[in-house]
Amino acid sequence: MLRARLLRDQVPNFDEYPFSLPAFRGLDTIVFHPAVTFLIGENGIGKSTLLEAIAVGWGLNPEGGSRNFNFATRASHSSLHRLLRLARGVRRPRDSYFLRAESFFNVATEIERLDSEPAFGPSIIGAYGGRSLHEMSHGESFLALVTHRFRGGGLYILDEPEAALSPIRQMALLVRIHQLASEGAQFIIATHSPLLMAYPGAIILLLEEKADIRSIAYEETAHFRVTRDFLRDPAKSLAIVFEAHAEEEGDNY
């Protein structure tokens, strides 16, 4: 079971980035589910920064990929990984990968660059299904990665994998996650998708302002409640939102 612990006594200043992010003010130790853990919370709370630190601490490339990738389009990752200690049980993952939705294009470009160089081994793209990721849609390339590259017994860190996926493709992703989890793979996923976080048996960890990271039931998440209420009566939900916005605009005059 993977654990992440922040060395709080070594944090230089909780008023400076990244430690000033709401998620880290009360962060101590996180114990991840052996199969699937979801990190949820509002934009800017620190989900992606935390995932990035876990990935870098595990030896993965900050922009995405496996331990064999070491390219850097822009060195923008935070220093959080230096004070985040990862601990794992006796069984180490046979594979690991960091999928970062916003920079997967760069991973695809790096694969093409590496495959263009002389090599004696098989092509890298062969492990992704054999077709250039740039010749697919963003969503298709995500599924190609998960379908062909991921395998049982691995550790997979996914940052908003739903970003390019339709609802049907999100369901396909869940099917593949379920298959791999049954083969011993572990997933840590930051998401806003109520479809993904419905995965049965997963731990959902809520990151929020001025509060410690805590486990929350699926039905208690804002993602579930807002989606449920909207689908029950879209017209009413939109009318409430539009009216609230109009009142806010009026207050600005």
Side-chain angles (χ1 to χ4, degrees):
M1 184 175 292
L2 183 66
R3 296 171 179 261
R5 180 170 64 91
L6 178 64
L7 304 179
R8 297 184 61 84
D9 59 338
Q10 297 183 32
V11 173
N13 190 341
F14 275 100
D15 291 324
E16 295 181 358
Y17 179 84
F19 307 103
S20 60
L21 290 172
F24 307 134
R25 289 191 171 274
L27 177 61
D28 188 347
T29 301
I30 304 175
V31 180
F32 298 100
H33 191 282
V36 181
T37 302
F38 293 108
L39 302 179
I40 68 171
E42 285 299 326
N43 294 326
I45 206 77
K47 301 184 303 298
S48 293
T49 304
L50 177 57
L51 272 195
E52 174 191 82
I54 294 170
V56 174
W58 197 256
L60 301 173
N61 193 57
E63 291 188 38
S66 68
R67 292 189 174 191
N68 295 323
F69 286 85
N70 58 12
F71 69 93
T73 305
R74 180 172 180 265
S76 60
H77 60 287
S78 77
S79 60
L80 177 62
H81 67 280
R82 297 172 186 162
L83 297 183
L84 198 68
R85 292 294 176 268
L86 302 179
R88 181 87 188 195
V90 293
R91 184 180 64 83
R92 292 185 61 83
R94 298 197 297 264
D95 182 38
S96 55
Y97 205 99
F98 181 28
L99 168 62
R100 192 166 205 166
E102 65 182 22
S103 57
F104 191 59
F105 178 93
N106 301 337
V107 174
T109 300
E110 178 67 3
I111 291 172
E112 289 195 346
R113 186 191 71 80
L114 293 172
D115 277 345
S116 69
E117 298 178 349
F120 296 102
S123 66
I124 297 172
I125 197 60
Y128 295 75
R131 178 184 170 194
S132 170
L133 299 176
H134 283 315
E135 295 177 0
M136 307 179 188
S137 71
H138 212 36
E140 286 176 324
S141 66
F142 282 16
L143 288 178
L145 165 68
V146 177
T147 300
H148 300 290
R149 173 62 181 74
F150 288 6
R151 54 185 182 269
L155 171 63
Y156 301 114
I157 302 169
L158 314 182
D159 188 13
E160 298 186 10
E162 76 275 11
L165 299 178
S166 69
I168 291 176
R169 292 300 179 89
Q170 289 183 47
M171 299 296 285
L173 174 60
L174 280 175
V175 170
R176 182 57 175 158
I177 287 174
H178 185 62
Q179 178 184 10
L180 291 168
S182 68
E183 297 172 359
Q186 181 178 24
F187 290 85
I188 303 173
I189 305 171
T191 185
H192 293 291
S193 170
L195 290 180
L196 293 187
M197 64 181 72
Y199 184 79
I203 289 178
I204 302 175
L205 298 179
L206 175 63
L207 287 64
E208 54 189 340
E209 293 266 6
K210 301 178 181 179
D212 293 343
I213 297 174
R214 63 185 177 92
S215 177
I216 185 172
Y218 173 61
E219 292 80 5
E220 295 175 359
T221 65
H223 309 73
F224 170 81
R225 290 185 284 105
V226 170
T227 303
R228 177 198 59 195
D229 294 346
F230 181 85
L231 292 177
R232 281 178 175 172
D233 194 338
K236 180 180 178 180
S237 296
L238 289 175
I240 292 172
V241 171
F242 294 158
E243 181 179 353
H245 177 72
E247 291 176 357
E248 289 178 3
E249 288 292 300
D251 292 340
N252 291 331
Y253 287 100

